[in-house]
Amino acid sequence: MKKLFVLNHFKKLFYSDKPILVYLKNISATIVSGKDKKEYLQNQFTNNLNLLKRNKYSYGSYCDVNGRLINIFLIFNYLDNNYAYLCRKSVFKYQFDEIKKYSIFSKVNIFNEKNIKILGLFGKNSKVVLEKFFNISFNKFNVVKKDSFIFLKLNYLDKFIIVFPSEKIYFLKKFFFNKCKLKKNIEWDFLLMISNFPILEKENCKKFNPISLNLRKFDAIHFDKGCYKGQEIISKIKYRNSNKKKIFLLYGISEKTPIIGSRVLKIIDNNEYVFFGTVLFSIKIKNYVLIQCVLNSVVENNVLFKIENINESIFFVYKYKII
């Protein structure tokens, strides 16, 4: 097993001769407008919108009343002083129906913005190319607006999200795309996984609390902002130090890609296994498989894992920090 596969693939992406551009087809945008938009979302989301400045973004999450995660998102100030938040398409419909339930009692409008495109840009010289082509600067802010484009500089690496009207795609293809290499969504997901950012798909909605999924690291949970859905239970987990689960990255060689929501089994001996966690997300690059999973927080050295329904493969914990 080549332990350096992950590091080598990372270097291949970030030291490419051109920046890498990805259509984020698995991301959906929700717009929230209306007089009560801030107050309404403040009572729903785990992050503190009072701290969200005009030229900044924030990570956040949305839970049920039992503190179980329904959605993980990135939120920022959109056009016309509205909010926009980006999340995985697979959870969009479910979280959208949930968050609209009580909006009829407030002056707020929540809708899916279908007339936009979302791109991810990263790698060598990506910041230089972006600033030069669009004549913008990220020196002071991580959200920059230019005409009908919105640019978000993520808080690690040279990694950016570009949000723009669908009709502008022809302009970008003609003048901008030749400066970049086009890659598939899997490369963006790869970066999320190696940074330990949780990828929540619909199969795992309402299974985990936000502390288990590492969201404190991304400042997506605030414990002193007042009440929000699930706040009491989430706070108890924190102050009682009762969280017993944690995100891990597993790697191995397999012909199959693990199914999201599959059980992760700890190998006791050749013929015995115990349930130890759940697959959050997985990708396959050549024959190598990377698995983001939630396991019991204490994992012994040199422990081996299997994934249910993939009997022929063994998976290892990836311990080497890249980002």
Side-chain angles (χ1 to χ4, degrees):
M1 171 62 65
K2 294 182 179 179
K3 294 182 180 179
L4 292 178
F5 160 72
V6 177
L7 179 60
N8 290 338
H9 189 70
F10 172 79
K11 288 180 177 179
K12 180 181 176 182
L13 292 176
F14 268 83
Y15 295 101
S16 171
D17 58 336
K18 288 184 177 182
I20 290 174
L21 192 65
V22 178
Y23 276 104
L24 297 180
K25 296 179 181 179
N26 52 10
I27 301 297
S28 181
T30 301
I31 310 300
V32 185
S33 63
K35 180 181 177 182
D36 298 333
K37 58 183 180 294
K38 184 176 181 179
E39 179 183 1
Y40 184 76
L41 294 182
Q42 185 78 332
N43 293 329
Q44 301 289 325
F45 293 165
T46 61
N47 58 314
N48 191 344
L49 289 183
N50 291 326
L51 303 178
L52 183 61
K53 298 179 181 179
R54 177 170 295 277
N55 294 303
K56 299 288 184 179
Y57 69 83
S58 171
Y59 293 109
S61 64
Y62 176 56
C63 302
D64 65 9
V65 293
N66 296 312
R68 297 287 177 167
L69 274 166
I70 295 174
N71 191 16
I72 299 169
F73 55 81
L74 184 155
I75 188 169
F76 55 95
N77 287 285
Y78 189 57
L79 307 175
D80 301 321
N81 294 318
N82 298 324
Y83 290 114
Y85 64 90
L86 310 179
C87 69
R88 307 291 289 198
K89 276 188 176 178
S90 75
V91 302
F92 167 77
K93 182 66 167 64
Y94 183 62
Q95 65 85 30
F96 185 76
D97 292 342
E98 287 286 316
I99 203 168
K100 285 202 71 173
K101 278 183 180 178
Y102 307 105
S103 64
I104 58 173
F105 301 108
S106 301
K107 293 179 180 178
V108 62
N109 184 28
I110 305 172
F111 61 96
N112 176 221
E113 179 56 271
K114 297 180 179 180
N115 189 38
I116 65 170
K117 298 288 185 184
I118 305 169
L119 299 176
L121 181 74
F122 64 91
K124 186 178 180 181
N125 295 325
S126 55
K127 181 173 181 287
V128 173
V129 169
L130 203 56
E131 289 185 331
K132 184 177 180 180
F133 183 83
F134 288 99
N135 192 24
I136 57 175
S137 173
F138 292 97
N139 289 341
K140 296 182 179 179
F141 310 114
N142 59 21
V143 176
V144 175
K145 298 176 184 177
K146 179 70 178 291
D147 300 326
S148 53
F149 288 85
I150 300 177
F151 308 91
L152 295 92
K153 184 182 186 302
L154 303 190
N155 56 2
Y156 53 90
L157 302 171
D158 277 344
K159 188 168 177 235
F160 304 86
I161 290 176
I162 309 170
V163 180
F164 58 95
S166 298
E167 60 268 21
K168 294 291 185 179
I169 193 68
Y170 303 105
F171 164 76
L172 291 186
K173 282 183 176 179
K174 185 175 181 180
F175 298 105
F176 182 63
F177 280 30
N178 64 350
K179 301 178 183 298
C180 309
K181 286 184 177 180
L182 287 176
K183 295 286 186 178
K184 296 181 179 180
N185 278 218
I186 189 174
E187 306 296 4
W188 190 266
D189 292 333
F190 170 81
L191 297 181
L192 294 178
M193 293 172 74
I194 63 173
S195 64
N196 265 349
F197 188 86
I199 301 176
L200 185 71
E201 299 282 5
K202 64 180 180 180
E203 292 87 346
N204 286 317
C205 282
K206 292 192 175 184
K207 286 186 180 180
F208 306 103
N209 72 73
I211 296 176
S212 293
L213 265 61
N214 204 30
L215 288 178
R216 293 177 69 183
K217 172 185 173 182
F218 295 93
D219 203 26
I221 317 170
H222 285 253
F223 297 95
D224 55 358
K225 58 166 273 188
C227 293
Y228 53 87
K229 282 183 70 177
Q231 179 263 339
E232 183 176 351
I233 293 176
I234 295 169
S235 294
K236 282 181 180 179
I237 293 171
K238 179 202 173 187
Y239 293 116
R240 292 178 180 178
N241 198 26
S242 60
N243 178 57
K244 303 300 180 184
K245 296 187 181 296
K246 182 180 173 183
I247 285 184
F248 287 84
L249 187 65
L250 304 183
Y251 71 100
I253 294 177
S254 176
E255 291 296 321
K256 298 179 181 178
T257 305
I259 297 171
I260 294 171
S262 296
R263 298 195 306 165
V264 180
L265 307 173
K266 176 182 172 182
I267 299 176
I268 304 299
D269 59 35
N270 289 334
N271 297 308
E272 275 194 65
Y273 318 98
V274 294
F275 170 67
F276 208 75
T278 305
V279 174
L280 271 185
F281 198 76
S282 62
I283 59 175
K284 184 179 178 184
I285 302 172
K286 297 182 179 178
N287 284 329
Y288 290 94
V289 170
L290 281 179
I291 307 168
Q292 185 182 75
C293 56
V294 182
L295 305 179
N296 296 342
S297 56
V298 178
V299 175
E300 303 89 345
N301 289 332
N302 301 318
V303 66
L304 304 177
F305 294 96
K306 292 181 75 69
I307 308 298
E308 66 175 344
N309 300 323
I310 305 182
N311 297 323
E312 69 279 6
S313 299
I314 295 175
F315 297 92
F316 308 80
V317 176
Y318 192 85
K319 299 179 180 179
Y320 304 95
K321 186 175 181 179
I322 297 176
I323 296 177

